[in-house]
Amino acid sequence: MNIIESLQWRYATKKFDTTKEVPQEKINILKEAFNLTATSYGLQPLKLVVIKDKELQKELTKHSWDQQQVADASHVLIFCIENTVGEDFITKYFDNVKEIRNTPEEILSPFKKQLVDSFKSKPSEEVSNWAIKQAYLAMGNILTVCAVEEIDACPMEGFIPEKYNEILKLAEFDLSSVLVLPIGYRAEDDMFSEFKKVRRSINDTVITL
């Protein structure tokens, strides 16, 4: 399939085939794709939690408005944000730039100082909202990769983040859950797989100047 055919093929899967499992090589592709997602300033204020544990998935389903996709999926991907994006976090990013690109400190230093000062001046809620936007970018990227790899997925905002944080002990990692993505393979009797995709026309959604 070409990319448009792949995007036509994908849908928010309502019922997964519990006998089918996404192979590890495909999971590795999704991990790499997550890590390659574009983020603001390149800071990557995100982490991805990959769950493949049916008992844990059943427990999380209780806090996902009983959406059975969480229990039945091959894996559940949880997009999390870093709770603390401050000077240490930003410094580590620039240390990584320096190591990978061999960029001199004198070139990096002005931009580094600018970012550190900017984030210090922002209220924590503003920084959190900024990080959440990056999580949505990552999920969009992963959804496209899933389509290309013919992995079914169901993007979800309908869950209780505080309960996920508690069950997964995310505070120990200084993380908060933002989005949930069960992945796997559609069940043959998922009637939603046969529905025509409903979208506004391109003329309604795209303006060419």
Side-chain angles (χ1 to χ4, degrees):
M1 291 191 290
N2 65 36
I3 187 66
I4 299 302
E5 289 173 335
S6 295
L7 293 174
Q8 287 282 1
W9 171 86
R10 71 148 297 278
Y11 72 109
T13 305
K14 299 297 187 285
K15 189 174 182 181
F16 287 100
D17 186 335
T18 57
T19 68
K20 293 182 179 179
E21 186 175 295
V22 179
Q24 187 58 46
E25 57 265 29
K26 298 268 189 181
I27 298 297
N28 291 341
I29 289 171
L30 296 183
K31 290 178 181 178
E32 290 280 357
F34 171 81
N35 203 45
L36 288 169
T37 295
T39 59
S40 179
Y41 308 116
L43 286 177
Q44 294 181 279
L46 309 169
K47 285 193 178 171
L48 184 69
V49 177
V50 181
I51 296 175
K52 183 192 171 189
D53 181 322
K54 291 303 179 188
E55 289 305 312
L56 181 54
Q57 289 171 230
K58 287 178 184 177
E59 179 66 20
L60 292 173
T61 302
K62 300 174 187 175
H63 308 291
S64 311
W65 309 112
D66 292 320
Q67 295 179 87
Q68 196 61 30
Q69 297 99 309
V70 175
D72 292 343
S74 169
H75 296 68
V76 177
L77 310 184
I78 302 172
F79 295 75
C80 302
I81 61 168
E82 301 273 0
N83 290 331
T84 307
V85 180
E87 184 169 359
D88 288 347
F89 187 91
I90 293 169
T91 297
K92 285 180 182 177
Y93 165 72
F94 280 96
D95 287 345
N96 203 28
V97 173
K98 187 160 54 176
E99 180 180 345
I100 291 172
R101 294 180 175 171
N102 200 28
T103 308
E105 178 67 30
E106 58 268 24
I107 292 177
L108 295 175
S109 185
F111 185 35
K112 174 182 171 182
K113 183 180 185 306
Q114 179 186 342
L115 278 187
V116 169
D117 291 345
S118 175
F119 275 83
K120 277 183 179 179
S121 69
K122 296 179 190 294
S124 58
E125 184 179 355
E126 183 178 340
V127 176
S128 177
N129 287 336
W130 165 81
I132 288 169
K133 291 176 182 177
Q134 314 313 307
Y136 278 87
L137 284 174
M139 177 175 272
N141 187 36
I142 293 298
L143 283 172
T144 299
V145 175
C146 280
V148 170
E149 294 294 327
E150 296 187 41
I151 300 168
D152 286 299
C154 182
M156 290 171 47
E157 296 176 301
F159 72 106
I160 303 172
E162 295 79 11
K163 285 295 186 180
Y164 269 62
N165 297 346
E166 177 186 336
I167 292 168
L168 301 174
K169 299 181 171 60
L170 294 181
E172 296 179 9
F173 303 95
D174 199 27
L175 299 173
S176 295
S177 57
V178 172
L179 295 164
V180 176
L181 187 68
I183 63 170
Y185 297 103
R186 64 190 70 178
E188 289 186 7
D189 60 347
D190 185 357
M191 63 180 183
F192 289 90
S193 67
E194 301 299 324
F195 287 3
K196 289 184 177 180
K197 198 174 291 294
V198 178
R199 293 292 188 272
R200 294 160 64 190
S201 73
I202 290 176
N203 288 336
D204 283 341
T205 59
V206 178
I207 298 171
T208 302
L209 301 177

